[in-house]
Amino acid sequence: MKFTLSWLRAHLDTDAALARITDTLTAIGLELESVEDRGAALAPFRIAHVLDATPHPNADRLRVCTVETGGETVTVVCGAPNARRGMKAVFAPPGSVIPATGTVLKVGEIRGVQSAGMLVSARELALGEDHTGIIELPEEAPLGVPYAAWLGLDDPVIDIAVTPNRGDALAVRGVARDLAAAGIGTLRPWNPEPVEGGFPSPVGWRIDWPEACPWVLGRTVRNLRNGPSPQWLQERLAAIGLRPINALVDITNFLTIDLGRPLHVFDADKVTGGALAMRRGAGETFRALNGRDCTVTDEDCVIADAAGVQSLAGVMGGAATGSDEATRSVFVECALFDPVRVALTGRRHGIISDARQRFERGIDPALLAPGLQAATRMILECCGGEPSAVAAAGHEPRWQRSASLRFARLRELGGADVPPDEAVGALQRLGFTVEARDAERVTVAVPSWRNDVEAILRNYTADPGLRSDLNAETGLLDQAPALSPAHRREVAEACAQTEPEYDLIEEVLRLRGLDTVPPVSLPQAEPVPPPALTAAQSRTALVRRTLAAEGLAECVTFSFLPSATAALFGPAPSALRLVNPIAADLDQLRPTPVATLALAAARNAARGQPDLGLFEIGPAFAPEQPQGQHLVAAGLRTGATPRNWAAPARPIDAMDAKADLWGALTAAGAPLEGLTVTADAPGFYHSGRSGVVRQGRVALGTFGELHPRLVAALDLPAPAVVFELLLDAVPEPKRRKRAAADLSPLQPVRRDFAFLVGAEVAAETLLRAARGAERGLIAGVTLFDVFAGGGLPDGQKSIGIEVVFQPRDRTLTDAEIDAAAAKVVAAVAKATGGVLRSSS
Amino acid sequence: MTDASIHLKAETEVALAAASDLRAWDAVRVSVLGKAGRLTALLKELGRLPPEVRRERGVGLNRLRDELTAAIEARRQALDAAALDARLAAERIDPTLPPRPRPAGLIHPISRTADEIIAIFGAMGFSVAEGPDVETDWHNFGALNIPGHHPARADHDTFYLPAIGDAPPPVLRTHTSPVQIRTMLEQAPPIRVIAMGRTYRADHDATHSPMFHQCEGLVIDRAITLGHLKGCVTDFLRAFFGLSGLPVRFRASYFPFTEPSMEVDIGWNRRTGELGGGGDWLEILGSGMVHPRVLANCGIDPRQWQGFAFGMGVERITMLKGNIADLRPFFDSDIRWLRHHGANPLAPATLHERA
């Protein structure tokens, strides 16, 4: 909200410096957004009188001026053609900074004549382009007065951010009240004198919907003359960016900003039927003052005459009954609308207005009558005319309530030792009045304008229709459905008891300055704190570091992507499509992080970076509720391994992805020995070069080459391989005591075997058979060779394995080793049909 | 010493010097010390000599044998050393060749910051809580004292998913605060948690991203005051930025879910971007005492329990600490940016080692 310093001073009697005022605003929660002080740079320049101007003895174009600056008389050498005796001009004293050039003015000697200052042009003051001569001021310009002040440029424009709870601060007077309470000056009294009406208002009110509009006042002013508003009013509005329109409109705009009291004026001659009704809309369309047509619903409160809808209550007036220069008679509306209703209507129609902004935050219910009087007085002053009696409908709602503060709570909750007198004084300065006080507590009446303090349902919304989604029993609460009714009631009651006190503590601390609360480090519950991460979270951290250590660069990609791209990676259900995406290409929650990593790889390839490895640990989304989100560690490699002198580059392949996945599974603590790999990866994988890693039937991860069609569609460098690890699916390792390490003192015996097996035999089958051939003795099996073709029969391949036999208690005899080797051969033969080619 | 001995010694020394490799050296050795060697022959002659001569000759021959043996061994060692030198010279590599490439990946700056945040709050006794990105309207708004018509909702630029049945449409969480709600529903006080994760708002420009990260803190206990909130947040900010004297300013503000509410600023130099001094203030964090309505919405009795909550943008503090100017590259995955700003996966994020 914007206002000028002089506007503020109309309500606040203070000589505090601007910086102190703006610092205080920020400290008490009315955060300064900006201050525009056009006068600051012009402060040294004062209005001066040129007493004499004579030709310079040594220069034809210069003149020597004797200048009265309003305190002293100085000699100034001036080159302006218009410098002459008797004129009023603007004097720059030595030491001042010329705004246009930034130079500091010094006393100097020009061609032998001393010059103690300068008479300046508009361009030199950065006030315009005119540099044909010095500024000429009219005769009546006051000598010695700062030029900026005389111009009206010394009035800084202050812009503050008003938080949603502080409707009262959307008024210059409200801001002034807060500042006065914080110790900046005193609030000037404001009490508009009532204006008696001379005749009954020819336009009256009717409230058909009291829940939406409990109370409304109005009055007619006839025989007025609408025209431009007075200069001071135009300047005030223009300074804060409101375009002056005509006196009547300017007056309502002024009072909206000045008092936070939105008003509307109807051209009384355009109102049909002599009555305005507050009622539900009925699908009518009317043209609002913003020039747009608006079709109202039965959830909107409208103001209608016999001809139809004339205003969207609390949001925006209508064009048909608006006032213009021809208006001779007006009907002034001063109403109280339901805040929630106004908020919903404003949102429904997409209209943001100064009126809506104030009504939806709640306006001062006690300000209707004084606000209408102030408006009437201003209309009479600016436009003349004769006021009618006040027309009213409905009645003032009961807004009065009180709140209590236990002084000890300022320390127990606020952490501040505030003397009770100071706390009570702060509240009183804010307009709270003491109803009762003892050593322990004070009870105060809440002022009408503070609907954020001890907020109650009836000042929150008067409309029971809007309360239906609120729990009537618990007022403003929205409690967890799982709580039992008794539990709900108990804590709701506790809330009702504590909340007003929180409100008052906030007020006291806010005015005192939260910087006065001494910071206290959190007490430690235990000398050494427990682990911050759960086992699953620690595991995720380890997977992250492992993948990075394996050479992958961690990415954070968006959770959403184009639905067409998502569809390449699986179902893209509408349940996971944003209703209001920020862009068409960010509309679908991703089925897997692989999808957004693929897009990232394509972007990198387009930048000339085709060989890379990326990973991300983040959510994959599925439509099932409520467990529709899975934490996935996904990685992607594209292109080739790095070229170097020691080994040639080779294309990345699916087994690189399997190695990444294996590293991640190891870090995640998956039981590697028990895992199997099946060849049924989802359709976005290359069907022949991919696998699913399973523990039993549960899929833990997937790896493989991306489907060539997808690689082409996304412009990815080929080959592109990916993996996914479903972190949530990896079982948490059982917490059991770790067995002692088995460190045999005996040398292991290694034997190599080469088997001839069918080409379709899975290596894993063979390895599993070999491992299981002699459990107590075989410590490890390593596959070191796979070979097909050459001299081997068609449809066959050779698999070479190394088996490590680990004797436990004594060295094995050759016969024992041969027997164990025979068991390996037999087991492999049984499992795969393979025959031994050689062993060594 | 006999003439034969003198000859043998002199000739052996010449022969050894001439032996330029082990084979030649071995021939010399055998010719002197072997079964048919010349020294062996001289020793054999001893037996045939009269005892008095034998004794004197024997002493001389034994000394000669020791000398020749030593000379032969010394020559072998010299030849070995020369052979090793020759081998080393032959095996020389170019040590300026680049090393074999090792995989060098990295941790995203957001994860790095997350680790640091967890380390600091972990030391203050916080644990890490989690919640889903797709939230119910109630968890994201209602429970946090932001009813449907609340003006604060307009500030949130919420993303919606299609509604299911009569329930309000699910939302992408606009802040990490719903994790507070989940924690309070699942866990009885005292509570001391932080929650970190993805958050979403429909806003996209140089300083806003439709997806970003927040870190939220919640402390509920019996005697937690606003002084503790100030202490905790100040302790964190100073530890995170590594500036023990970092100016921290608290000023009154408003959030629907806290009361009193405070914005937290840190001191910096707006012109240079340097933290700690310069006289300017930079808003960095929102905080406040948990609103009694929020406690009551979660079934916690505000007469017995109170506490504070705070929330901050993870990207923002990452940018400040890492001197990163632009927000958008965080999510672009440009490998060049990642290599420039990413962290070593093995760099510790604990408090006892400096990264």
Side-chain angles (χ1 to χ4, degrees):
Chain A
M1 160 152 142
K2 281 187 180 178
F3 52 90
T4 65
L5 183 60
S6 69
W7 196 340
L8 178 69
R9 284 194 173 132
H11 289 283
L12 184 68
D13 185 1
T14 179
D15 51 10
L18 178 63
R20 186 161 162 246
I21 291 174
T22 52
D23 285 353
T24 305
L25 285 170
T26 294
I28 61 177
L30 304 175
E31 185 186 354
L32 181 72
E33 294 263 299
S34 68
V35 55
E36 190 193 343
D37 187 2
R38 293 179 298 166
L42 299 178
F45 309 108
R46 289 170 182 272
I47 297 171
H49 190 194
V50 181
L51 299 176
D52 199 6
T54 58
H56 191 291
N58 305 322
D60 292 346
R61 296 201 176 162
L62 300 179
R63 303 182 80 76
V64 178
C65 303
T66 308
V67 178
E68 161 72 63
T69 65
E72 57 176 340
T73 304
V74 296
T75 303
V76 171
V77 176
C78 183
N82 62 337
R84 63 180 188 279
R85 172 193 299 209
M87 76 183 293
K88 285 279 178 64
V90 178
F91 175 68
S96 58
V97 178
I98 303 302
T101 61
T103 53
V104 180
L105 204 55
K106 295 191 194 102
V107 177
E109 211 178 73
I110 301 172
R111 300 245 176 144
V113 177
Q114 202 190 41
S115 181
M118 188 169 144
L119 297 172
V120 292
S121 68
R123 193 167 79 188
E124 281 161 337
L125 295 189
L127 290 174
E129 284 308 303
D130 189 6
H131 196 52
T132 55
I134 55 174
I135 297 169
E136 281 191 57
L137 300 179
E139 191 68 27
E140 66 274 14
L143 182 67
V145 164
Y147 175 55
W150 183 76
L151 263 190
L153 288 180
D154 64 336
D155 197 6
V157 179
I158 299 166
D159 189 8
I160 57 170
V162 177
T163 54
N165 58 326
R166 291 299 304 278
D168 68 297
L170 286 174
V172 179
R173 185 161 184 82
V175 174
R177 186 188 294 117
D178 249 30
L179 281 169
I184 305 281
T186 50
L187 187 67
R188 295 183 198 275
W190 180 86
N191 206 359
E193 247 176 73
V195 184
E196 291 305 320
F199 57 98
S201 177
V203 179
W205 288 116
R206 196 179 78 236
I207 295 179
D208 294 345
W209 193 7
E211 292 83 3
C213 175
W215 192 28
V216 62
L217 304 179
R219 84 195 303 180
T220 303
V221 181
R222 69 185 179 197
N223 295 331
L224 54 72
R225 194 160 289 277
N226 192 17
S229 57
Q231 193 64 28
W232 70 267
L233 180 51
Q234 292 197 26
E235 280 173 9
R236 210 156 254 192
L237 294 177
I240 62 163
L242 283 177
R243 191 168 56 88
I245 295 170
N246 60 49
L248 291 169
V249 174
D250 292 355
I251 288 167
T252 59
N253 284 339
F254 173 80
L255 289 173
T256 300
I257 307 294
D258 191 55
L259 301 176
R261 175 58 261 187
L263 300 160
H264 182 64
V265 287
F266 294 90
D267 187 326
D269 297 330
K270 297 177 189 163
V271 174
T272 313
L276 287 166
M278 301 289 182
R279 64 161 169 85
R280 287 180 185 272
E284 306 101 315
T285 298
F286 83 110
R287 177 152 299 178
L289 277 172
N290 61 7
R292 294 225 299 265
D293 286 340
C294 176
T295 302
V296 297
T297 75
D298 64 354
E299 286 297 318
D300 298 320
C301 178
V302 301
I303 306 174
D305 66 2
V309 175
Q310 302 301 347
S311 177
L312 197 55
V315 177
M316 191 164 278
T321 51
S323 58
D324 55 29
E325 307 269 324
T327 298
R328 291 291 169 267
S329 179
V330 292
F331 182 66
V332 187
E333 163 210 325
C334 186
L336 187 62
F337 296 114
D338 183 272
V340 176
R341 180 72 62 195
V342 170
L344 295 176
T345 288
R347 192 197 298 169
R348 189 174 300 125
H349 296 286
I351 301 176
I352 296 168
S353 65
D354 284 332
R356 170 190 166 188
Q357 203 189 5
R358 285 163 179 78
F359 277 115
E360 72 183 5
R361 284 163 175 77
I363 55 159
D364 182 351
L367 194 63
L368 264 66
L372 183 59
Q373 296 296 358
T376 313
R377 190 157 288 280
M378 275 188 87
I379 291 171
L380 296 179
E381 280 166 11
C382 299
C383 310
E386 307 153 22
S388 76
V390 172
H395 53 85
E396 181 172 350
R398 220 184 66 76
W399 52 265
Q400 292 83 355
R401 61 209 186 275
S402 51
S404 291
L405 168 66
R406 289 165 291 165
F407 299 121
R409 291 293 291 163
L410 286 162
R411 190 183 63 253
E412 292 166 4
L413 183 78
D417 280 311
V418 185
D421 282 348
E422 185 193 323
V424 173
L427 293 174
Q428 285 175 318
R429 289 198 302 280
L430 283 169
F432 293 81
T433 51
V434 174
E435 291 179 334
R437 177 179 171 181
D438 60 25
E440 273 160 27
R441 73 174 68 211
V442 64
T443 301
V444 291
V446 179
S448 58
W449 55 84
R450 288 307 297 269
N451 59 7
D452 59 321
V453 174
E454 159 66 322
I456 47 171
L457 203 50
R458 68 172 175 275
N459 69 18
Y460 192 62
T461 171
D463 186 346
L466 294 174
R467 275 186 238 160
S468 59
D469 58 339
L470 298 170
N471 184 326
E473 252 181 334
T474 52
L476 299 172
L477 297 179
D478 190 353
Q479 292 181 293
L483 303 177
S484 74
H487 188 178
R488 278 188 201 203
R489 267 195 305 278
E490 188 196 330
V491 293
E493 193 180 314
C495 181
Q497 284 175 21
T498 45
E499 189 182 326
E501 200 167 46
Y502 270 70
D503 296 336
L504 297 182
I505 290 170
E506 176 178 41
E507 292 305 304
V508 172
L509 293 182
R510 176 172 79 83
L511 289 186
R512 196 166 198 262
L514 290 154
D515 271 329
T516 64
V517 177
V520 182
S521 291
L522 265 184
Q524 286 285 24
E526 296 161 65
V528 176
L533 298 180
T534 62
Q537 290 164 342
S538 306
R539 205 166 63 171
T540 301
L542 188 57
V543 168
R544 172 177 290 114
R545 279 180 240 143
T546 302
L547 290 171
E550 283 176 358
L552 301 173
E554 192 190 9
C555 302
V556 176
T557 60
F558 282 156
S559 300
F560 23 55
L561 76 170
S563 46
T565 308
L568 297 173
F569 290 88
S574 62
L576 294 177
R577 195 165 307 151
L578 296 178
V579 174
N580 56 336
I582 193 155
D585 62 351
L586 295 173
D587 65 338
Q588 183 78 33
L589 288 180
R590 65 186 184 189
T592 163
V594 164
T596 45
L597 280 179
L599 294 175
R603 285 195 298 273
N604 275 296
R607 295 186 191 110
Q609 307 282 341
D611 303 322
L612 46 78
L614 307 175
F615 82 100
E616 174 167 5
I617 298 181
F621 297 91
E624 307 93 66
Q625 297 288 336
Q627 292 301 323
Q629 183 175 331
H630 306 281
L631 187 63
V632 175
L636 171 150
R637 290 184 189 264
T638 55
T641 59
R643 263 174 103 177
N644 70 96
W645 56 269
R650 65 164 177 84
I652 293 291
D653 63 34
M655 296 314 277
D656 289 308
K658 185 174 182 185
D660 290 336
L661 175 57
W662 234 250
L665 282 163
T666 310
L672 298 181
E673 293 290 306
L675 301 184
T676 55
V677 177
T678 56
D680 51 350
F684 64 88
Y685 284 90
H686 184 308
S687 53
R689 294 180 175 171
S690 58
V692 179
V693 180
R694 296 175 185 277
Q695 182 182 13
R697 305 179 67 167
V698 179
L700 301 187
T702 315
F703 67 92
E705 208 175 297
L706 279 181
H707 198 289
R709 220 169 19 230
L710 196 142
V711 170
L714 296 180
D715 265 343
L716 281 169
V721 303
V722 300
F723 74 88
E724 299 161 278
L725 169 60
L726 309 174
L727 284 163
D728 302 330
V730 180
E732 273 193 34
K734 292 191 185 77
R735 288 179 66 92
R736 60 180 169 208
K737 207 166 157 194
R738 193 183 287 249
D742 178 15
L743 308 174
S744 171
L746 301 170
Q747 291 252 351
V749 178
R750 297 169 205 280
R751 279 276 179 103
D752 288 355
F753 301 81
F755 291 99
L756 192 63
V757 295
E760 75 295 344
V761 168
E764 192 177 278
T765 312
L766 189 151
L767 288 170
R768 194 177 294 277
R771 274 190 207 110
E774 179 75 289
R775 285 221 171 265
L777 199 54
I778 294 175
V781 178
T782 310
L783 191 155
F784 64 83
D785 183 49
V786 179
F787 172 73
L792 297 181
D794 275 354
Q796 301 269 292
K797 64 184 173 187
S798 167
I799 292 182
I801 60 172
E802 179 196 77
V803 178
V804 180
F805 300 103
Q806 179 60 61
R808 304 279 153 188
D809 38 16
R810 59 182 176 81
T811 307
L812 296 177
T813 64
D814 285 351
E816 284 168 328
I817 295 171
D818 288 344
K823 283 190 180 172
V824 170
V825 174
V828 169
K830 187 175 176 212
T832 68
V835 295
L836 187 67
R837 289 178 69 214
S838 68
S839 95
S840 59
Chain B
M1 194 175 269
T2 63
D3 286 354
S5 296
I6 292 167
H7 280 134
L8 176 56
K9 188 175 178 201
E11 285 165 17
T12 302
E13 281 168 357
V14 170
L16 279 173
S20 61
D21 58 21
L22 279 178
R23 184 194 301 251
W25 167 82
D26 200 47
V28 175
R29 184 184 64 82
V30 171
S31 74
V32 178
L33 301 176
K35 283 183 181 163
R38 290 169 65 188
L39 182 63
T40 314
L42 289 177
L43 287 168
K44 282 179 185 162
E45 284 173 20
L46 273 181
R48 294 194 292 267
L49 291 175
E52 59 281 10
V53 182
R54 186 195 308 162
R55 179 179 168 79
E56 185 196 343
R57 180 84 54 89
V59 170
L61 279 180
N62 275 333
R63 191 186 309 127
L64 179 62
R65 186 186 58 195
D66 290 347
E67 284 170 6
L68 288 178
T69 304
I72 288 168
E73 178 57 22
R75 181 61 184 159
R76 191 187 66 83
Q77 284 180 4
L79 284 175
D80 278 353
L84 191 57
D85 283 348
R87 182 181 142 205
L88 292 180
E91 287 176 356
R92 170 174 297 141
I93 62 163
D94 176 0
T96 68
L97 276 177
R100 282 195 179 80
R102 285 275 176 85
L106 41 91
I107 299 284
H108 194 279
I110 288 179
S111 295
R112 172 70 202 176
T113 298
D115 283 351
E116 293 177 10
I117 291 174
I118 292 167
I120 296 167
F121 283 112
M124 290 194 250
F126 286 75
S127 58
V128 176
E130 294 170 316
D133 294 26
V134 178
E135 268 294 4
T136 69
D137 191 272
W138 184 79
H139 283 93
N140 195 73
F141 292 120
L144 288 157
N145 194 32
I146 316 174
H149 60 272
H150 196 287
R153 279 215 184 187
D155 302 336
H156 275 239
D157 298 317
T158 314
F159 285 117
Y160 293 96
L161 287 169
I164 302 161
D166 289 340
V171 302
L172 296 191
R173 65 179 178 194
T174 59
H175 45 187
T176 40
S177 305
V179 185
Q180 283 185 27
I181 301 302
R182 292 181 176 275
T183 304
M184 286 190 276
L185 289 174
E186 286 163 14
Q187 183 184 336
I191 292 171
R192 204 177 279 203
V193 294
I194 54 170
M196 217 169 332
R198 295 171 178 232
T199 47
Y200 307 86
R201 293 192 191 182
D203 209 350
H204 206 177
D205 57 36
T207 55
H208 295 89
S209 166
M211 186 187 94
F212 56 103
H213 294 72
Q214 272 192 352
C215 177
E216 185 96 1
L218 175 71
V219 174
I220 304 288
D221 211 325
R222 290 188 191 276
I224 290 293
T225 75
L226 192 138
H228 291 121
L229 163 53
K230 289 184 64 173
C232 172
V233 164
T234 304
D235 289 344
F236 165 74
L237 289 171
R238 289 181 177 166
F240 179 79
F241 289 113
L243 295 169
S244 57
L246 181 70
V248 181
R249 178 175 83 166
F250 294 80
R251 55 190 164 75
S253 189
Y254 168 79
F255 305 104
F257 32 92
T258 50
E259 183 178 29
S261 302
M262 303 186 288
E263 295 272 17
V264 184
D265 302 335
I266 56 174
W268 78 319
N269 185 323
R270 194 190 306 275
R271 202 174 42 79
T272 63
E274 198 179 335
L275 293 178
D280 299 317
W281 292 102
L282 179 67
E283 190 175 308
I284 194 135
L285 198 141
S287 66
M289 301 303 289
V290 178
H291 200 291
R293 281 186 213 160
V294 174
L295 294 173
N297 284 340
C298 297
I300 295 176
D301 186 335
R303 285 171 304 200
Q304 296 179 41
W305 300 100
Q306 62 192 35
F308 64 80
F310 58 85
M312 63 189 134
V314 178
E315 285 82 357
R316 187 167 176 75
I317 61 171
T318 305
M319 289 165 78
L320 280 171
K321 187 170 178 176
N323 198 23
I324 304 173
D326 193 354
L327 172 65
R328 284 170 290 198
F330 275 82
F331 312 106
D332 188 51
S333 310
D334 185 331
I335 189 70
R336 299 165 300 175
W337 186 91
L338 292 170
R339 286 192 186 124
H340 187 78
H341 289 294
N344 183 333
L346 303 180
T350 50
L351 293 178
H352 67 279
E353 277 184 68
R354 192 170 285 278

